[in-house]
Amino acid sequence: MTFDAIGIASTGMTVHRKWLDAVSDNLANVNNASSTDGAAFQARYVVATAMSYGEPAGAQVAGIELGSAEGRLVHEPDHPLADEEGYVRYPDVDMSSQMTQLIMAQRGYQASAAVVDRARESYQSALQIGRN
Amino acid sequence: MFDSVTSVAMKSALDALSLRQRVIADNIANVNTPGFLAGRVQFEDALANAVRTGGDGGIEATIERSLEPTRENGNNVNLDTETLSNIDANLRYQVATRSIDGGFTAIRTAIRSA
């Protein structure tokens, strides 16, 4: 199996887009409250691995790991989901870590997108052989 | 004529530069992959040697793994270096295609003038 530069770059874009998806899912659920007898929203973490079939073949998502289901207990007696002692469960999503990951995923995506552009230039120059 | 040292050496250079571009694409795709070591394609010295020693100019490019220090996650891809190498390989590739094209143009001129 041979992989071209554009195909390899697209695997990088896919991995980073999935990471973006995971981060936005985590951020969207950052304030999901649940009752203390239920599980909190678990943060999604993308696990990336390198693909290789003798030749370089890009990156892939090997799986999604879930964060803590325990979350953190917050004292909010007025909350409709609060237990007798007045606690509700919030997900253990670290906002600053998520924002950092958001930027890393975005930059990684952009880097692979730029590779596609440069590979296209090379292919076009190859198409010019014998034209004149 | 088509298996002259120049043609074969230029083809070797094109193949190696194309491999280098794939390896750089792989490095950048894996810029955030834990434990990934950047790949490097070396062929310039081998090609220079092959031409100097009067061989046919055919060489095999090799991929080596960078031994530079890694970040916390075991990854040592440097995005600046990779971007520069990518642009460099791209321009070199274009130079090589022009050079090959120039060779064919010369042949065509010779055919036409006959």
Side-chain angles (χ1 to χ4, degrees):
Chain A
M1 213 174 347
T2 56
F3 283 87
D4 56 322
I6 291 181
I8 293 172
S10 84
T11 66
M13 289 171 76
T14 307
V15 167
H16 285 96
R17 190 191 41 73
K18 285 185 178 167
W19 192 6
L20 277 173
D21 290 350
V23 169
S24 64
D25 195 23
N26 294 342
L27 287 176
N29 289 294
V30 73
N31 282 318
N32 275 17
S34 50
S35 64
T36 46
D37 28 301
F41 168 81
Q42 290 170 272
R44 279 90 165 104
Y45 296 104
V46 168
V47 181
T49 56
M51 283 193 285
S52 178
Y53 303 98
E55 283 238 331
Q60 67 182 348
V61 172
I64 304 286
E65 278 191 13
L66 294 176
S68 143
E70 213 168 297
R72 56 197 164 87
L73 294 180
V74 179
H75 189 65
E76 277 184 20
D78 295 337
H79 200 287
L81 292 172
D83 61 11
E84 301 88 55
E85 286 152 20
Y87 283 99
V88 284
R89 211 184 276 287
Y90 276 101
D92 191 15
V93 175
D94 180 2
M95 193 76 144
S96 54
S97 155
Q98 293 297 324
M99 293 309 286
T100 316
Q101 289 186 42
L102 183 75
I103 292 168
M104 284 170 73
Q106 189 192 7
R107 294 287 179 258
Y109 187 88
Q110 287 171 338
S112 280
V115 172
V116 174
D117 261 355
R118 291 192 284 267
R120 193 173 51 85
E121 255 178 53
S122 289
Y123 290 150
Q124 267 177 346
S125 84
L127 284 173
Q128 295 301 317
I129 298 178
R131 273 281 176 94
N132 306 304
Chain B
M1 189 178 289
F2 297 106
D3 53 5
S4 67
V5 177
T6 319
S7 299
V8 178
M10 289 314 292
K11 187 187 171 297
S12 298
L14 271 188
D15 286 348
L17 284 167
S18 149
L19 176 65
R20 177 175 287 166
Q21 288 204 308
R22 291 205 297 282
V23 168
I24 291 170
D26 187 43
N27 293 344
I28 294 181
N30 285 295
V31 68
N32 286 309
T33 304
F36 181 83
L37 296 177
R40 297 267 175 273
V41 173
Q42 306 290 352
F43 74 94
E44 277 93 348
D45 292 346
L47 183 57
N49 254 331
V51 173
R52 196 184 314 118
T53 54
D56 63 352
I59 51 143
E60 280 289 320
T62 54
I63 305 175
E64 284 161 21
R65 290 290 147 192
S66 163
L67 296 176
E68 277 171 47
T70 65
R71 294 195 292 276
E72 266 180 6
N73 62 359
N75 181 306
N76 69 355
V77 176
N78 182 337
L79 198 51
D80 309 341
T81 318
E82 297 303 331
T83 304
L84 281 177
S85 305
N86 196 192
I87 294 170
D88 180 87
N90 178 19
L91 291 175
R92 277 172 204 269
Y93 190 90
Q94 295 192 31
V95 169
T97 55
R98 291 234 181 128
S99 162
I100 291 175
D101 195 37
F104 287 137
T105 308
I107 295 169
R108 187 172 297 163
T109 310
I111 296 170
R112 283 209 184 121
S113 60

